[in-house]
Amino acid sequence: MKLNPIRQSLIAALSISVIGAAAPALAYDKGDTIVRGGIASVVPGGSYSSVAGGKFDLRADSDIQAGASISYMMTDNMSVNLLAATPFEHDIEASGGTNIGSTKHLPPTVTVSWFPLAGQDLGFKPYVGAGVNYTTFWDEKLNSTGKGATKAQNLSLDDSVGLAAQVGVDVPLDENWSVGAAAYYANIETDAELDGNGIGTVEIDPMIYRLHVGYSF
């Protein structure tokens, strides 16, 4: 049975919490740098966006790539973070699940995180944060089905800037290494064009789920 990404993330978070119950206390201090890397899944919102005056309903599907972030502790309980990844590629679906094309994108995200349990002698380190997402699209393509349905040859998606939020947890393996999980929400809305003519806004608004290994220094 295939688990959906939300259920997978909940199971991962619970498993990491169990590990944390027996782990040594993890302390981040002002001036520390934390590098995290692992697997990231981008799961766009499930609803379709109506474009071209209601002629088409579009959405993007999910993709999994390598994901990484770098964080700098501004204080003992606040950090500034940059989320990055290898390029994601998404099929573009019309209503009914018909694949009409594809696009690639990168969603670098800057957040400020708060560690509410900083200073407590615990074997895990939860955090929450908020910030800004910038998403750039390229290599947009219509397949033969998409060209036939839209009567167009070229698809273009504008870059997007929107708010982002995050929640995560780190569990130490030793004084430098840790494992963890994180989830992000990004407000991504892109204006779409067919053969240079605007057809409306596609709301992607994905959740980003990541399992990672971290190193602090």
Side-chain angles (χ1 to χ4, degrees):
M1 179 178 66
K2 186 176 179 179
L3 298 176
N4 65 51
I6 294 176
R7 188 174 300 175
Q8 289 175 321
S9 297
L10 289 173
I11 291 173
L14 287 172
S15 300
I16 289 171
S17 296
V18 170
I19 295 173
L26 177 65
Y28 294 144
D29 299 314
K30 179 180 178 180
D32 284 354
T33 297
I34 308 157
V35 179
R36 301 178 180 94
I39 300 297
S41 174
V42 171
V43 183
S47 61
Y48 287 90
S49 295
S50 180
V51 296
K55 292 181 180 179
F56 309 109
D57 295 316
L58 304 179
R59 71 178 181 186
D61 71 353
S62 304
D63 191 27
I64 297 175
Q65 293 290 338
S69 65
I70 184 167
S71 302
Y72 176 77
M73 297 299 298
M74 299 181 293
T75 69
D76 289 347
N77 64 354
M78 297 285 290
S79 68
V80 60
N81 324 287
L82 173 63
L83 172 69
T86 53
F88 292 94
E89 182 170 2
H90 300 276
D91 289 336
I92 299 172
E93 298 178 353
S95 56
T98 303
N99 182 352
I100 66 167
S102 63
T103 184
K104 295 179 181 178
H105 87 277
L106 279 175
T109 302
V110 176
T111 56
V112 174
S113 297
W114 174 52
F115 295 79
L117 302 180
Q120 299 190 32
D121 189 21
L122 299 173
F124 60 96
K125 199 87 166 177
Y127 53 90
V128 295
V132 177
N133 165 266
Y134 172 76
T135 298
T136 181
F137 297 89
W138 75 95
D139 201 21
E140 304 98 317
K141 297 177 181 177
L142 291 172
N143 59 25
S144 58
T145 300
K147 291 177 180 178
T150 63
K151 311 303 181 186
Q153 296 297 310
N154 299 300
L155 170 69
S156 176
L157 299 174
D158 288 348
D159 293 351
S160 168
V161 177
L163 298 178
Q166 67 171 157
V167 60
V169 62
D170 290 333
V171 175
L173 300 176
D174 59 26
E175 63 181 8
N176 297 110
W177 291 94
S178 64
V179 294
Y184 294 77
Y185 167 79
N187 174 225
I188 300 176
E189 298 181 358
T190 176
D191 291 332
E193 297 180 354
L194 290 173
D195 289 344
N197 299 310
I199 60 171
T201 300
V202 178
E203 297 179 2
I204 300 175
D205 296 342
M207 292 295 299
I208 304 169
Y209 303 99
R210 188 185 69 195
L211 297 177
H212 58 257
V213 175
Y215 183 80
S216 62
F217 57 94

